[in-house]
Amino acid sequence: VVRPTASSSSGGAVGGAAFDDVCASAERLFDAIRSHVVRDIAPTALRAGFLTPCRDRLPTAVSLELFARTDADFLEFFAGADLKARLEAERDSMAEKARQLGRSAGEFRAIVDAL
C-alpha cells in the first residue's frame, strides 16, 4: 500500500497508524459486502432465474405429459412389446439430465465461491 506523503517541511508520512486503520476497516467492509453477495444475493438470483420457473412449470408439464394424450397414446405407457426398452431409454435420458443439472449446480457454486 502506498501512503500519501505530506507536503509539510517535515516530509513525513501522513497518518501512519490511522491510514492503516482506514485500510483495514475498508478491507473488512468489502469482505462483508462480498460475503453478503455470495451468501444472500447469488442463491436468490439462481432461485429466481432458474429453480423457481422450473418448479412453477413442472405441474403443467407433468399434466400435459399424462393427460393431453389420446387413449391409445396413454395405453402405450402400459403395454407394448418394447415397453421395457422404452422405459429404460427414458430412465437413461432422465439420469443424463440429472447429471447435467448436477454439473450446472457445481459450476454455479464454483462461480459463487469465486465471487
Side-chain angles (χ1 to χ4, degrees):
V1 174
V2 177
R3 291 190 179 136
T5 57
S7 58
S8 65
S9 60
S10 65
V14 173
F19 183 80
D20 291 340
D21 290 343
V22 169
C23 289
S25 179
E27 183 179 1
R28 284 191 303 275
L29 178 64
F30 284 115
D31 283 343
I33 292 169
R34 178 187 167 276
S35 71
H36 170 71
V37 168
V38 169
R39 184 181 61 251
D40 298 333
I41 296 173
T44 301
L46 172 66
R47 280 192 299 275
F50 179 69
L51 298 177
T52 301
C54 288
R55 184 195 66 211
D56 292 345
R57 288 190 303 255
L58 185 60
T60 304
V62 170
S63 297
L64 287 173
E65 182 70 26
L66 291 176
F67 302 117
R69 298 177 167 273
T70 64
D71 289 343
D73 288 340
F74 190 74
L75 287 176
E76 285 182 18
F77 279 134
F78 306 105
D82 62 342
L83 177 63
K84 183 178 178 185
R86 284 187 290 138
L87 289 174
E88 287 173 347
E90 183 69 21
R91 180 199 63 208
D92 294 343
S93 172
M94 300 279 273
E96 179 58 30
K97 288 178 185 178
R99 282 191 293 275
Q100 290 173 351
L101 286 173
R103 283 193 296 271
S104 296
E107 291 171 4
F108 184 77
R109 279 189 212 102
I111 290 169
V112 166
D113 291 343
L115 293 176

